[in-house]
Amino acid sequence: MRRAAVIGSPIEHSLSPVLHNAAYTALGLDWEYTRLECTEDRVAPLVASLGPEWAGLSCTMPTKRAALAVASSVTPRAAAVGAANTLVRTDSGWHADCTDVDGVVGALREKGFSSGTRGVVIGAGGTATAALAGLAELRISSVSLVVRDPSRAAEALETASRVGVAAEVLALSSVDLVSLAAGADVLVSTVPASATEVLADAVARAPYVLDVIYHPWPTPVALAVEAAGTRLATGLDMLLHQAFGQVEQFTGMPAPQDVMRSALAAELAARA
C-alpha cells in the first residue's frame, strides 16, 4: 500500500484526508492518506524516517519552510514563495512545490477572474507570499501589502521581487482601505476573521475578493461581500485547488475534481 499524509500542528481538524482519500478511491488506488502531528523542528527527522511506500506529504503550518529546507529539488515557485506545502517522493529524494499558488489562481479563476493589473493583499505572512505568486500568475503587476506592522513585511517584499510584482507596504492604521480596495482589480485577505470585522465593508469594495479563512464561517468579509454583490472566492476554494495539484503530483494521474468537491461538501455538511 502506498501512503501519503498531511503534516502540521495542530492537525486533527485538517480536511486534506477527506479530499485525498476520496481522490485515491475514485482513481482505483490502494492508498492511505492520514494526518501526522509535526512541528517545524520535527520535519527533517520525520521525512528521514519515511520508507519507500511514502509517495508524498502535504505540509501545513508551521512546517512549510522546513519542508522546503529538506527537499533535494525545489520548483521555482516554491523557491519564490520561500515555503513548500508539497513534498513528492522521487528517485533522487524529495521534490518540493507550492500548490498553494494553484489554490489562489484556481479559486479566483473559478469565480470569473482572469487577469488585471492592480492587487491588494491584507497581511504579509506565509499565505500572503503564496498569494503574491498567484497574483503574478494572473498578470497582476503591482500590489499593495496592507499590514499592521510594516517592519514584518520583508519576506513578502522579497517574494514580490522574485515573481516580478511591484509591491508597496502600507500600514493598516493609516491607509484609506475603501479607496484602495475600490481601485483594485482583486483583493486577497489572509488575516484571521477576527481581524477583519472592522475592515470587511471596505474589503468588499474590490470587484473580486479571496478570503483565505474558512473557519469560522461565514467570516465578516464573506458577509460583507455577499451584501455588496462582489465576487467571493473562499479558503475552501483555495483548499480544493491546491489539493488537485497535490493529488496529480503524488499519483501522476488527473485529479477527480468533481469527486473531491462532493467529498468536501459532504464532510462540511456532516460537521455543521
Side-chain angles (χ1 to χ4, degrees):
M1 176 184 288
R2 299 303 302 278
R3 301 188 67 188
V6 57
I7 65 172
S9 183
I11 202 65
E12 63 269 15
H13 297 299
S14 173
L15 290 165
S16 291
V18 174
L19 301 174
H20 281 259
N21 285 318
Y24 303 150
T25 299
L27 293 171
L29 300 175
D30 184 22
W31 284 36
E32 179 186 45
Y33 186 100
T34 56
R35 302 178 183 89
L36 297 176
E37 184 76 18
C38 183
T39 54
E40 184 175 15
D41 63 314
R42 295 298 302 164
V43 172
L46 171 64
V47 171
S49 74
L50 299 180
E53 74 276 14
W54 285 85
L57 294 173
S58 307
C59 309
T60 189
M61 295 303 292
T63 66
K64 294 183 180 183
R65 286 185 173 83
L68 188 71
V70 302
S72 54
S73 61
V74 177
T75 62
R77 63 184 183 179
V81 171
N85 79 323
T86 306
L87 287 173
V88 184
R89 170 84 78 178
T90 70
D91 292 339
S92 57
W94 291 90
H95 181 64
D97 191 20
C98 185
T99 67
D100 285 334
V101 179
D102 295 332
V104 172
V105 173
L108 285 167
R109 282 180 172 163
E110 185 176 308
K111 303 305 177 183
F113 185 80
S114 56
S115 66
T117 59
R118 182 73 183 161
V120 174
V121 175
I122 302 178
T127 306
T129 56
L132 286 165
L135 292 178
E137 189 170 320
L138 291 166
R139 300 181 182 178
I140 295 293
S141 57
S142 63
V143 171
S144 297
L145 289 165
V146 180
V147 296
R148 292 190 182 278
D149 182 0
S151 68
R152 301 180 66 179
E155 290 185 3
L157 286 173
E158 290 175 4
T159 294
S161 178
R162 292 183 193 121
V163 298
V165 171
E168 62 174 351
V169 178
L170 302 173
L172 180 60
S173 60
S174 59
V175 71
D176 179 0
L177 189 57
V178 171
S179 297
L180 192 66
D185 295 300
V186 60
L187 183 149
V188 182
S189 176
T190 70
V191 296
S194 59
T196 63
E197 290 181 4
V198 298
L199 312 176
D201 288 340
V203 166
R205 299 295 185 96
Y208 289 87
V209 175
L210 168 57
D211 182 5
V212 307
I213 305 300
Y214 56 82
H215 183 75
W217 189 261
T219 64
V221 166
L223 293 172
V225 167
E226 181 182 9
T230 300
R231 298 282 185 94
L232 175 68
T234 73
L236 290 172
D237 298 322
M238 184 176 170
L239 177 70
L240 273 168
H241 283 276
Q242 63 83 29
F244 297 157
Q246 288 184 339
V247 167
E248 292 178 356
Q249 291 194 44
F250 291 175
T251 68
M253 303 169 71
Q257 296 187 10
D258 290 344
V259 169
M260 295 169 73
R261 288 181 192 280
S262 296
L264 179 60
E267 178 66 18
L268 294 174
R271 293 188 181 191

